Amino acid sequence: MDLIIGGAYQGKLAYGKEVFSLSEDDIFICTPDKEPDFTKRCLVHFESYVLRCIREDRPVEAPLRADAVIIADDIFCGVVPMDTEIRLWREECGRALTALSLRADTVTRLFCGLPLRLKG
Amino acid sequence: MTIFFSGGCKNGKSTLAESCACALAAGGPLCYLATMIPHDDEDRLRIRRHVAARAGKGFTTIECGREILTALDHAPADATFLLDSVTALLSNEMFRADGTVDEDAGPRTAEALRELAERAHNIVFVSDYIYGDGPLYDEYTELYRRSLALCDRTLAAACDAVAEVCIGQHILYKGALPL
Protein backbone atom coordinates (compact mmCIF):
# COMPACT_ATOMS: atom_id res chain seq x y z
CA MET A 1 0.00 0.00 0.00
CA ASP A 2 1.26 3.45 -0.90
CA LEU A 3 0.24 6.67 0.83
CA ILE A 4 0.25 10.16 -0.70
CA ILE A 5 -0.32 13.08 1.64
CA GLY A 6 -0.24 16.85 1.36
CA GLY A 7 -2.23 20.06 1.54
CA ALA A 8 -5.16 20.92 -0.67
CA TYR A 9 -4.44 21.39 -4.41
CA GLN A 10 -0.81 20.27 -4.18
CA GLY A 11 -0.99 17.85 -7.15
CA LYS A 12 -1.36 14.60 -5.16
CA LEU A 13 -3.72 12.82 -7.58
CA ALA A 14 -1.75 13.87 -10.68
CA TYR A 15 1.38 12.48 -9.02
CA GLY A 16 -0.36 9.23 -8.03
CA LYS A 17 -1.74 8.72 -11.54
CA GLU A 18 1.69 9.17 -13.07
CA VAL A 19 3.76 7.11 -10.64
CA PHE A 20 1.30 4.22 -10.21
CA SER A 21 -0.07 4.29 -13.79
CA LEU A 22 -3.65 4.66 -12.53
CA SER A 23 -6.53 4.82 -14.97
CA GLU A 24 -9.78 6.68 -14.22
CA ASP A 25 -11.37 3.29 -13.49
CA ASP A 26 -8.86 2.66 -10.69
CA ILE A 27 -9.92 5.78 -8.81
CA PHE A 28 -12.62 6.23 -6.19
CA ILE A 29 -13.30 9.73 -4.84
CA CYS A 30 -14.39 9.41 -1.20
CA THR A 31 -17.25 11.56 0.11
CA PRO A 32 -18.75 11.58 3.61
CA ASP A 33 -22.14 10.33 2.36
CA LYS A 34 -21.03 7.18 0.53
CA GLU A 35 -19.19 4.00 1.56
CA PRO A 36 -15.95 3.70 -0.44
CA ASP A 37 -15.54 0.94 -3.00
CA PHE A 38 -12.57 -0.83 -1.39
CA THR A 39 -12.13 -3.01 -4.49
CA LYS A 40 -10.82 0.12 -6.29
CA ARG A 41 -7.05 0.50 -6.21
CA CYS A 42 -6.91 4.22 -5.46
CA LEU A 43 -8.97 5.99 -2.82
CA VAL A 44 -8.80 9.80 -3.08
CA HIS A 45 -9.85 12.16 -0.26
CA PHE A 46 -9.47 9.42 2.33
CA GLU A 47 -10.04 12.17 4.92
CA SER A 48 -13.67 12.27 3.74
CA TYR A 49 -14.06 8.58 4.58
CA VAL A 50 -12.72 9.40 8.06
CA LEU A 51 -15.44 12.07 8.37
CA ARG A 52 -18.04 9.45 7.37
CA CYS A 53 -16.79 7.15 10.15
CA ILE A 54 -16.95 10.02 12.67
CA ARG A 55 -20.56 10.77 11.68
CA GLU A 56 -21.49 7.10 12.01
CA ASP A 57 -19.58 6.82 15.29
CA ARG A 58 -17.48 3.86 14.20
CA PRO A 59 -13.74 3.17 14.01
CA VAL A 60 -11.88 3.96 10.79
CA GLU A 61 -11.51 0.49 9.36
CA ALA A 62 -10.50 0.13 5.76
CA PRO A 63 -10.11 -3.30 4.06
CA LEU A 64 -7.45 -2.05 1.64
CA ARG A 65 -5.98 -3.94 -1.28
CA ALA A 66 -2.30 -4.87 -0.94
CA ASP A 67 -1.56 -2.58 -3.92
CA ALA A 68 -3.83 0.25 -2.73
CA VAL A 69 -2.85 3.89 -3.32
CA ILE A 70 -4.33 6.08 -0.60
CA ILE A 71 -4.45 9.85 -1.14
CA ALA A 72 -5.38 12.25 1.66
CA ASP A 73 -5.41 15.96 2.46
CA ASP A 74 -3.47 16.86 5.63
CA ILE A 75 -6.42 18.66 7.21
CA PHE A 76 -4.89 18.27 10.70
CA CYS A 77 -2.73 21.38 10.61
CA GLY A 78 -4.10 24.83 11.38
CA VAL A 79 -6.07 26.09 14.36
CA VAL A 80 -8.12 23.73 16.57
CA PRO A 81 -11.67 24.12 15.19
CA MET A 82 -14.51 25.28 17.47
CA ASP A 83 -16.96 22.81 15.92
CA THR A 84 -16.94 19.44 17.76
CA GLU A 85 -17.43 17.23 14.72
CA ILE A 86 -14.68 19.01 12.74
CA ARG A 87 -12.39 18.85 15.78
CA LEU A 88 -12.89 15.09 16.15
CA TRP A 89 -12.46 14.63 12.39
CA ARG A 90 -9.17 16.55 12.44
CA GLU A 91 -7.80 14.40 15.27
CA GLU A 92 -9.07 11.11 13.84
CA CYS A 93 -7.48 11.94 10.47
CA GLY A 94 -4.14 12.38 12.18
CA ARG A 95 -4.46 9.03 13.96
CA ALA A 96 -5.82 7.12 10.96
CA LEU A 97 -3.15 8.38 8.56
CA THR A 98 -0.35 7.86 11.08
CA ALA A 99 -1.55 4.24 11.44
CA LEU A 100 -1.70 3.84 7.65
CA SER A 101 1.80 5.25 7.23
CA LEU A 102 3.16 2.49 9.52
CA ARG A 103 1.71 -0.14 7.13
CA ALA A 104 2.55 1.71 3.92
CA ASP A 105 5.37 0.62 1.64
CA THR A 106 5.93 4.24 0.63
CA VAL A 107 4.77 7.58 2.02
CA THR A 108 5.10 10.66 -0.20
CA ARG A 109 4.28 14.26 0.62
CA LEU A 110 3.43 16.62 -2.22
CA PHE A 111 4.46 20.27 -2.00
CA CYS A 112 3.47 22.61 -4.83
CA GLY A 113 3.36 19.65 -7.22
CA LEU A 114 6.77 18.29 -6.14
CA PRO A 115 7.15 14.99 -4.23
CA LEU A 116 9.14 14.44 -1.04
CA ARG A 117 9.56 10.78 -0.08
CA LEU A 118 9.04 10.35 3.67
CA LYS A 119 9.18 6.53 3.70
CA GLY A 120 10.28 3.73 1.41
CA MET B 1 18.51 31.26 -12.09
CA THR B 2 14.94 31.04 -10.77
CA ILE B 3 13.99 30.07 -7.20
CA PHE B 4 10.60 29.46 -5.57
CA PHE B 5 10.02 29.57 -1.78
CA SER B 6 6.87 28.87 0.18
CA GLY B 7 6.08 28.01 3.80
CA GLY B 8 4.29 29.24 6.89
CA CYS B 9 3.90 32.89 7.83
CA LYS B 10 6.73 34.67 9.69
CA ASN B 11 8.96 31.62 9.21
CA GLY B 12 11.86 33.43 7.51
CA LYS B 13 10.91 33.10 3.83
CA SER B 14 11.71 36.75 3.00
CA THR B 15 15.06 36.68 4.81
CA LEU B 16 16.19 33.56 2.97
CA ALA B 17 14.83 34.92 -0.33
CA GLU B 18 16.75 38.21 0.17
CA SER B 19 19.98 36.30 0.84
CA CYS B 20 19.49 34.21 -2.31
CA ALA B 21 18.67 37.29 -4.43
CA CYS B 22 21.81 39.09 -3.17
CA ALA B 23 23.94 36.02 -3.92
CA LEU B 24 22.47 35.69 -7.43
CA ALA B 25 22.94 39.40 -8.22
CA ALA B 26 26.64 39.16 -7.26
CA GLY B 27 26.92 42.95 -7.17
CA GLY B 28 24.70 43.50 -10.24
CA PRO B 29 21.32 45.30 -10.27
CA LEU B 30 18.89 44.05 -7.63
CA CYS B 31 15.17 44.86 -7.81
CA TYR B 32 12.53 44.23 -5.18
CA LEU B 33 9.05 43.74 -6.65
CA ALA B 34 6.78 45.12 -3.92
CA THR B 35 3.34 43.60 -4.43
CA MET B 36 1.40 44.64 -1.36
CA ILE B 37 -1.12 47.46 -1.78
CA PRO B 38 -1.63 48.67 1.81
CA HIS B 39 -5.23 48.82 3.04
CA ASP B 40 -4.75 49.69 6.73
CA ASP B 41 -2.20 50.52 9.45
CA GLU B 42 -1.38 46.84 9.98
CA ASP B 43 -0.36 46.57 6.29
CA ARG B 44 1.66 49.80 6.52
CA LEU B 45 3.51 48.49 9.61
CA ARG B 46 4.21 45.17 7.83
CA ILE B 47 5.62 47.09 4.84
CA ARG B 48 7.80 49.30 7.11
CA ARG B 49 9.25 46.13 8.73
CA HIS B 50 10.07 44.63 5.33
CA VAL B 51 11.61 47.93 4.11
CA ALA B 52 13.77 48.14 7.26
CA ALA B 53 14.87 44.51 6.85
CA ARG B 54 15.95 45.20 3.25
CA ALA B 55 17.75 48.46 4.06
CA GLY B 56 21.40 48.46 3.03
CA LYS B 57 21.11 45.27 0.97
CA GLY B 58 21.13 47.18 -2.33
CA PHE B 59 17.56 46.65 -3.53
CA THR B 60 15.79 49.11 -5.81
CA THR B 61 12.08 48.87 -5.01
CA ILE B 62 9.57 48.61 -7.88
CA GLU B 63 5.96 48.95 -6.75
CA CYS B 64 3.88 46.51 -8.75
CA GLY B 65 0.63 45.32 -7.16
CA ARG B 66 -0.91 44.13 -10.45
CA GLU B 67 0.11 43.32 -14.07
CA ILE B 68 3.44 41.96 -12.85
CA LEU B 69 5.05 41.71 -16.30
CA THR B 70 5.04 45.53 -16.57
CA ALA B 71 7.74 45.52 -13.86
CA LEU B 72 10.22 44.28 -16.47
CA ASP B 73 9.90 47.66 -18.25
CA HIS B 74 11.28 49.43 -15.15
CA ALA B 75 14.41 47.34 -14.59
CA PRO B 76 17.68 46.67 -16.44
CA ALA B 77 17.76 43.50 -18.57
CA ASP B 78 20.37 41.90 -16.31
CA ALA B 79 18.47 42.59 -13.08
CA THR B 80 17.96 40.05 -10.32
CA PHE B 81 14.41 40.26 -8.94
CA LEU B 82 12.85 39.36 -5.64
CA LEU B 83 9.04 39.01 -5.87
CA ASP B 84 7.51 39.06 -2.39
CA SER B 85 4.82 37.85 -2.54
CA VAL B 86 2.84 35.76 -5.02
CA THR B 87 0.11 35.73 -2.35
CA ALA B 88 -0.36 39.51 -2.33
CA LEU B 89 -0.12 39.76 -6.13
CA LEU B 90 -2.90 37.18 -6.63
CA SER B 91 -5.02 38.86 -3.96
CA ASN B 92 -4.77 42.20 -5.81
CA GLU B 93 -5.57 40.53 -9.14
CA MET B 94 -8.55 38.60 -7.76
CA PHE B 95 -10.18 40.97 -5.26
CA ARG B 96 -10.55 44.28 -7.08
CA ALA B 97 -10.71 47.74 -5.50
CA ASP B 98 -14.32 48.15 -6.70
CA GLY B 99 -15.37 45.14 -4.60
CA THR B 100 -15.73 42.68 -7.47
CA VAL B 101 -14.00 39.28 -7.65
CA ASP B 102 -12.14 38.25 -10.78
CA GLU B 103 -12.65 34.48 -10.88
CA ASP B 104 -10.16 34.06 -13.74
CA ALA B 105 -7.31 35.74 -11.85
CA GLY B 106 -5.68 32.38 -10.96
CA PRO B 107 -4.87 31.05 -14.45
CA ARG B 108 -4.02 34.56 -15.73
CA THR B 109 -1.64 35.30 -12.83
CA ALA B 110 -0.06 31.82 -13.01
CA GLU B 111 0.69 32.35 -16.73
CA ALA B 112 2.11 35.85 -16.11
CA LEU B 113 4.35 34.47 -13.36
CA ARG B 114 5.54 31.63 -15.60
CA GLU B 115 6.44 34.20 -18.28
CA LEU B 116 8.18 36.38 -15.70
CA ALA B 117 10.28 33.38 -14.57
CA GLU B 118 11.20 32.75 -18.19
CA ARG B 119 12.11 36.36 -19.06
CA ALA B 120 13.86 37.50 -15.87
CA HIS B 121 17.64 37.06 -15.73
CA ASN B 122 17.47 35.92 -12.11
CA ILE B 123 14.35 35.88 -9.94
CA VAL B 124 13.35 34.65 -6.48
CA PHE B 125 9.61 34.14 -5.76
CA VAL B 126 8.03 34.04 -2.31
CA SER B 127 4.59 32.52 -1.71
CA ASP B 128 2.62 31.32 1.33
CA TYR B 129 1.63 27.76 2.22
CA ILE B 130 -2.07 27.95 3.19
CA TYR B 131 -3.22 24.43 2.40
CA GLY B 132 -2.77 22.38 5.56
CA ASP B 133 -6.09 22.67 7.38
CA GLY B 134 -9.73 21.63 7.03
CA PRO B 135 -11.78 22.80 4.02
CA LEU B 136 -14.07 25.05 6.00
CA TYR B 137 -13.87 28.21 3.94
CA ASP B 138 -16.41 30.25 2.06
CA GLU B 139 -16.57 30.01 -1.74
CA TYR B 140 -14.28 32.97 -2.47
CA THR B 141 -11.61 31.96 0.05
CA GLU B 142 -11.60 28.45 -1.41
CA LEU B 143 -11.32 29.91 -4.94
CA TYR B 144 -8.38 32.00 -3.73
CA ARG B 145 -6.67 28.93 -2.19
CA ARG B 146 -7.19 26.92 -5.37
CA SER B 147 -5.87 29.81 -7.50
CA LEU B 148 -2.80 30.40 -5.32
CA ALA B 149 -2.02 26.66 -5.46
CA LEU B 150 -2.13 26.87 -9.27
CA CYS B 151 0.37 29.78 -9.19
CA ASP B 152 2.56 27.82 -6.74
CA ARG B 153 2.54 24.60 -8.78
CA THR B 154 3.23 26.53 -11.98
CA LEU B 155 6.23 28.30 -10.43
CA ALA B 156 7.51 25.14 -8.71
CA ALA B 157 7.49 23.39 -12.10
CA ALA B 158 9.16 26.34 -13.87
CA CYS B 159 11.86 27.28 -11.33
CA ASP B 160 15.36 25.81 -11.07
CA ALA B 161 15.20 25.47 -7.28
CA VAL B 162 12.22 24.98 -4.94
CA ALA B 163 12.27 24.95 -1.14
CA GLU B 164 9.80 24.99 1.72
CA VAL B 165 10.84 27.32 4.54
CA CYS B 166 10.12 26.20 8.10
CA ILE B 167 11.10 28.29 11.16
CA GLY B 168 14.15 29.69 9.41
CA GLN B 169 15.27 26.32 8.02
CA HIS B 170 14.46 25.00 4.59
CA ILE B 171 13.54 21.71 2.93
CA LEU B 172 14.83 21.47 -0.62
CA TYR B 173 12.45 19.86 -3.16
CA LYS B 174 14.35 20.69 -6.33
CA GLY B 175 17.76 22.03 -7.42
CA ALA B 176 20.15 23.85 -5.08
CA LEU B 177 20.24 27.28 -3.44
CA PRO B 178 23.04 29.76 -4.32
CA LEU B 179 24.22 30.05 -0.70
Side-chain angles (χ1 to χ4, degrees):
Chain A
M1 184 262 290
D2 298 281
L3 184 58
I4 302 171
I5 184 90
Y9 317 120
Q10 298 303 296
K12 301 184 290 296
L13 180 55
Y15 174 81
K17 278 183 178 174
E18 187 190 326
V19 170
F20 299 104
S21 306
L22 302 172
S23 69
E24 291 303 323
D25 198 46
D26 291 323
I27 295 165
F28 184 90
I29 310 284
C30 300
T31 57
D33 51 6
K34 196 171 171 208
E35 190 64 11
D37 180 353
F38 288 109
T39 67
K40 296 276 191 182
R41 185 171 176 208
C42 177
L43 301 182
V44 185
H45 286 299
F46 191 81
E47 77 283 357
S48 290
Y49 172 59
V50 174
L51 180 57
R52 175 179 172 79
C53 295
I54 294 280
R55 287 185 177 164
E56 295 184 347
D57 194 23
R58 62 183 166 105
V60 182
E61 284 168 357
L64 303 177
R65 290 165 50 150
D67 65 349
V69 178
I70 305 300
I71 300 180
D73 282 17
D74 59 2
I75 62 137
F76 30 69
C77 304
V79 177
V80 176
M82 295 292 281
D83 181 88
T84 306
E85 181 182 84
I86 301 296
R87 198 165 59 244
L88 292 175
W89 176 40
R90 177 173 171 273
E91 292 180 0
E92 202 52 43
C93 272
R95 288 189 202 103
L97 289 165
T98 302
L100 280 181
S101 85
L102 291 175
R103 293 166 50 194
D105 299 307
T106 68
V107 179
T108 307
R109 178 170 180 251
L110 265 284
F111 175 78
C112 302
L114 302 179
L116 180 70
R117 186 58 65 87
L118 303 180
K119 179 184 178 184
Chain B
M1 182 185 190
T2 52
I3 305 176
F4 175 77
F5 288 118
S6 188
C9 89
K10 302 290 163 283
N11 265 235
K13 298 188 297 293
S14 296
T15 306
L16 184 60
E18 284 162 14
S19 301
C20 285
C22 291
L24 287 176
L30 194 52
C31 296
Y32 181 87
L33 302 179
T35 51
M36 177 174 269
I37 300 172
H39 295 289
D40 54 23
D41 286 344
E42 195 177 316
D43 286 347
R44 280 181 277 274
L45 174 62
R46 192 174 289 125
I47 287 171
R48 278 203 303 277
R49 281 192 179 136
H50 275 270
V51 169
R54 287 200 305 279
K57 291 184 178 174
F59 285 96
T60 302
T61 298
I62 300 174
E63 302 277 350
C64 195
R66 293 192 187 91
E67 304 288 339
I68 194 67
L69 288 169
T70 62
L72 291 169
D73 302 334
H74 305 285
D78 61 343
T80 293
F81 295 94
L82 170 54
L83 191 161
D84 193 353
S85 63
V86 175
T87 323
L89 177 68
L90 177 67
S91 177
N92 300 335
E93 293 282 359
M94 182 172 282
F95 304 106
R96 315 302 296 214
D98 63 5
T100 60
V101 176
D102 181 349
E103 299 192 8
D104 300 321
R108 190 183 65 243
T109 307
E111 176 51 28
L113 289 166
R114 194 200 56 73
E115 187 177 336
L116 181 61
E118 191 177 289
R119 288 172 58 188
H121 175 57
N122 289 312
I123 185 160
V124 182
F125 296 94
V126 177
S127 191
D128 289 87
Y129 191 82
I130 58 170
Y131 314 105
D133 57 3
L136 304 167
Y137 298 101
D138 62 89
E139 182 192 346
Y140 285 130
T141 307
E142 201 56 40
L143 173 68
Y144 177 76
R145 288 215 309 168
R146 197 161 60 238
S147 301
L148 185 64
L150 175 64
C151 294
D152 291 348
R153 294 198 310 272
T154 301
L155 284 172
C159 286
D160 302 314
V162 177
E164 178 178 10
V165 180
C166 181
I167 54 169
Q169 309 301 312
H170 66 272
I171 304 159
L172 200 59
Y173 284 79
K174 186 181 181 184
L177 301 184
L179 296 174

